[in-house]
Amino acid sequence: MARHVTTQRRAINTAAAWTVALILFFPILWTVLTSFKPEAQAVASPPIFLGFDWTLQNYVDVNEQREYFRYFVNSIIIALGSTALGLALAVPAAWSMAFVPGRKTKDLLMWMLSTKMMPAVGVLVPIYLLFKTLGLLDTRIGLVIVLTLMNLPIIVWMLYTYFKEIPGEILEAARMDGASLKAEILHVLTPMAVPGIASTVLLNIILAWNEAFWTINLTVTDAAPLTKFISGFSSPQGLFYAKLSAASTMAIAPILIMGWFSQKQLVRGLTFGAVK
Amino acid sequence: MAQDIAPSQPNLWPYILPTVLVLGGVTLYPIATVLWMSLHDWTWGGDSIFSDVKNYRLLWLKGSFLIALLNTVTFAISAVLVELVLGMILALAANRVTRGAGLFRVLMILPLMVSGIAVSLVWKVLLDPTFGVINAALGAIGLPEPNWLGSTTAAMPSLVMVETWWQTGFVFIILAAALKSLPEEPFEAARLEGANGWQMFRYLTLPMLRPVIVTVVVFRLIDTLKVFDLVFGLTGGGPLRATEAVQTLTYQTAFKFSNFGEAAAIVVIFSALIFAICAAYGALDRRTGGAE
């Protein structure tokens, strides 16, 4: 009898959970659908769900107005560049802290994370001035540096969590065989840490891809990524909603597709390795 | 590993130092600059005059900072509360979803992958009072059609709603992971004792999840206190300052009114506030033994 009640409740629970999941998905679905509508049908009342005249015109128009591809390339360069630079700095640091922890390690990690707490707007003026002096405004390298710095604490923290789970005995064995510190990192540790590093890379790419505040304020055209591309599309109410949706879709599609296919690594990244 | 700390131990500072130096530099330089600016009358390229605490006093007198602070705190607390409750319910439910668990999970975290600026655009279209699909749906079933972003009473709840849509997935994914890692035995024992679902949640799940919940809340709190993209993209702080947040106020003060001294003063006070939250969390973390 008790079992019967449980089964029924379980079915209700499952149905409710799926309903919420679909509600969460709806805004994205609607945006994609709207992007294929002619402008007039995008604001039709009552709204048309599927039975509209499907068109690619919005994508063509948006592309003609502003060259999507240039922004897309900048987004890729900035996301990959900042991730690579971040890893180069963070892997040695996280490795040291994980395998030779000192009394201050925990404090050091906490401090690193605390640097992320500073409100971005407050840091903008000093950084802007510095970038102006150094000629880094509207350059890809400038954005790569800023985004690296922004995400570095998270990369270190995540890698530290993963590295800590690697058993120390393996390292000792390698050391006995006379492996140098460099060889130890390159040939013993890194292969074992690949899943953790993959998750870190993935999360970092998403963070860098989506970062809007710095990318918008420090670029004009040359280095502008997709965040800048869509920020130019805030339009008057009701006008160009289909084009707006096409621009949004083009900006978020690459990252959504990547996230969809690597959700396992992504989830592990988001939970800082707490789930295997 | 204890015997590892032998004389042969390599010196590791060269490995940590680059990160420490880089982070230290990018923290100290802006802090110093902002502190200095807050005590000066400064404009682009112009002379700067030492102005003592004038900027702070003006902030206090104008009152717009207090409004923004109040708005921001309201936004942060309501959003985190909703995200926590919703995320918890969904995590508990997800524990029971057996078929299509992967699809369920990916649907939950999809919004997380959308950048704040795109979130604003997406929701601007959805929430449009005349052409938006949400009001069309509400109208069709005879419900009132609110002016989501355009009225002083609805704008803030609307922002909280969008933020909740965006970030509940984060709370969900962490709580779901934590739930999976809980031991089975206490629940078995409680079931044998005849405990019902609520009792088990209240006296077993909740206490065991406490450290994770605290961490998630602190993460989300800091993030929501720093809200910028959503306010900037959806309401611009309006109508009538109803949704003005600290960061958008700082941005306007600095870049619209070129009042850099005052903007810097806002940053100093606000950073101190966020720092206090972190310190409180650190103290709490240490007292409860820390989440290792």
Side-chain angles (χ1 to χ4, degrees):
Chain A
M1 182 198 79
R3 172 148 302 165
H4 178 71
V5 174
T6 325
T7 328
Q8 205 175 27
R9 269 186 53 183
R10 182 167 292 194
I12 295 169
N13 269 326
T14 312
W18 277 106
T19 311
V20 174
L22 289 176
I23 290 175
L24 282 179
F25 182 59
F26 178 76
I28 296 175
L29 176 71
W30 190 255
T31 304
V32 175
L33 286 176
T34 307
S35 75
F36 291 109
K37 292 175 185 174
E39 285 295 351
Q41 288 185 330
V43 291
S45 176
I48 311 166
F49 194 63
L50 287 170
F52 52 85
D53 309 318
W54 291 71
T55 171
L56 285 172
Q57 195 54 43
N58 299 312
Y59 288 92
V60 176
D61 288 351
V62 166
N63 240 331
E64 247 162 41
Q65 252 173 50
R66 332 176 92 229
E67 313 143 61
Y68 169 79
F69 197 67
R70 200 163 49 86
Y71 294 89
F72 177 77
V73 169
N74 279 338
S75 270
I76 295 223
I77 291 175
I78 292 161
L80 293 183
S82 70
T83 306
L85 188 59
L87 275 185
L89 283 166
V91 168
W95 180 88
S96 315
M97 290 196 282
F99 289 104
V100 195
R103 259 177 305 144
K104 293 268 172 233
T105 301
K106 194 89 200 196
D107 290 337
L108 200 60
L109 272 171
M110 263 304 188
W111 168 75
M112 284 182 186
L113 207 59
S114 77
T115 61
K116 275 210 59 80
M117 316 301 177
M118 280 202 298
V121 171
V123 191
L124 178 61
V125 175
I127 297 280
Y128 189 92
L129 291 173
L130 187 70
F131 266 46
K132 208 173 162 191
T133 322
L134 298 175
L136 286 172
L137 285 177
D138 203 17
T139 61
R140 291 167 186 160
I141 183 77
L143 281 190
V144 166
I145 293 172
V146 164
L147 294 193
T148 303
L149 295 174
M150 202 189 75
N151 292 331
L152 191 56
I154 290 189
I155 306 186
V156 173
W157 189 281
M158 281 179 71
L159 288 176
Y160 169 81
T161 324
Y162 296 127
F163 287 175
K164 255 186 77 154
E165 284 173 17
I166 295 173
E169 295 81 40
I170 291 173
L171 286 185
E172 272 165 47
R175 244 170 254 174
M176 297 276 222
D177 292 342
S180 69
L181 193 61
K182 217 173 263 160
E184 199 177 298
I185 294 184
L186 274 178
H187 300 300
V188 184
L189 237 129
T190 313
M192 294 197 63
V194 161
I197 293 180
S199 298
T200 312
V201 165
L202 200 68
L203 192 68
N204 199 66
I205 288 177
I206 294 179
L207 286 174
W209 186 278
N210 288 341
E211 205 294 317
F213 183 73
W214 293 102
T215 50
I216 289 174
N217 280 303
L218 295 178
T219 60
V220 187
T221 45
D222 291 352
L226 286 171
T227 44
K228 187 96 178 180
F229 172 78
I230 45 171
S231 77
F233 275 93
S234 27
S235 71
Q237 208 184 40
L239 277 173
F240 312 124
Y241 273 1
K243 276 184 203 68
L244 204 89
S245 300
S248 303
T249 306
M250 281 201 273
I252 62 179
I255 212 75
L256 287 188
I257 291 166
M258 188 188 87
W260 187 291
F261 286 111
S262 49
Q263 54 148 315
K264 224 171 143 185
Q265 284 77 19
L266 185 63
V267 167
R268 192 173 19 185
L270 285 170
T271 52
F272 280 37
V275 261
K276 299 284 140 40
Chain B
M1 289 279 291
Q3 73 273 29
D4 252 0
I5 320 292
S8 69
Q9 193 56 53
N11 178 18
L12 293 166
W13 273 104
Y15 294 85
I16 307 182
L17 211 56
T19 298
V20 171
L21 281 182
V22 156
L23 283 179
V26 289
T27 327
L28 287 179
Y29 163 72
I31 289 179
T33 316
V34 165
L35 269 175
W36 182 87
M37 268 185 187
S38 75
L39 297 171
H40 288 76
D41 279 332
W42 184 91
T43 43
W44 294 110
D47 288 329
S48 50
I49 306 143
F50 180 71
S51 60
D52 211 331
V53 291
K54 188 193 91 184
N55 288 321
Y56 292 91
R57 200 170 319 126
L58 276 178
L59 221 55
W60 176 254
L61 289 175
K62 280 187 186 168
S64 48
F65 173 65
L66 272 180
I67 295 174
L69 189 64
L70 207 66
N71 282 341
T72 309
V73 171
T74 311
F75 171 79
I77 291 180
S78 357
V80 173
L81 217 69
V82 178
E83 281 166 19
L84 185 65
V85 172
L86 211 60
M88 178 64 90
I89 293 173
L90 288 167
L92 289 168
N95 238 359
R96 302 210 173 86
V97 172
T98 40
R99 218 173 311 156
L103 179 65
F104 181 76
R105 206 170 53 175
V106 87
L107 286 180
M108 294 296 304
I109 58 172
L110 226 41
L112 272 182
M113 288 182 256
V114 182
S115 86
I117 188 111
V119 170
S120 306
L121 287 188
V122 164
W123 280 90
K124 219 172 182 163
V125 176
L126 288 171
L127 291 177
D128 189 298
T130 20
F131 306 111
V133 63
I134 293 183
N135 272 4
L138 289 177
I141 52 173
L143 287 173
E145 302 174 29
N147 187 358
W148 297 95
L149 301 165
S151 82
T152 46
T153 43
M156 181 57 85
S158 301
L159 279 183
V160 171
M161 179 178 75
V162 175
E163 157 71 27
T164 309
W165 172 78
W166 190 20
Q167 293 290 336
T168 298
F170 177 75
V171 179
F172 160 81
I173 212 80
I174 293 200
L175 291 182
L179 276 176
K180 275 231 164 66
S181 68
L182 292 183
E184 279 285 330
E185 296 82 27
F187 292 92
E188 288 297 330
R191 210 165 291 143
L192 289 177
E193 301 267 328
N196 63 29
W198 168 251
Q199 286 169 327
M200 281 197 276
F201 174 74
R202 172 72 185 78
Y203 297 105
L204 286 176
T205 316
L206 216 48
M208 283 197 276
L209 285 186
R210 220 189 78 134
V212 181
I213 293 175
V214 171
T215 308
V216 169
V217 165
V218 170
F219 263 65
R220 292 305 316 138
L221 217 48
I222 289 167
D223 220 35
T224 44
L225 283 173
K226 297 197 306 182
V227 61
F228 182 82
D229 297 5
L230 290 190
V231 178
F232 201 72
L234 282 172
T235 63
L240 296 173
R241 287 184 191 267
T243 57
E244 186 78 274
V246 174
Q247 287 233 89
T248 50
L249 179 71
T250 317
Y251 193 79
Q252 291 225 325
T253 312
F255 297 101
K256 200 169 164 196
F257 303 113
S258 292
N259 219 329
F260 292 94
E262 246 178 85
I266 298 178
V267 175
V268 171
I269 299 176
F270 190 53
S271 301
L273 187 83
I274 291 189
F275 181 76
I277 295 178
C278 294
Y281 168 63
L284 202 73
D285 192 50
R286 223 155 296 178
R287 221 180 34 203
T288 52
E292 224 356 84

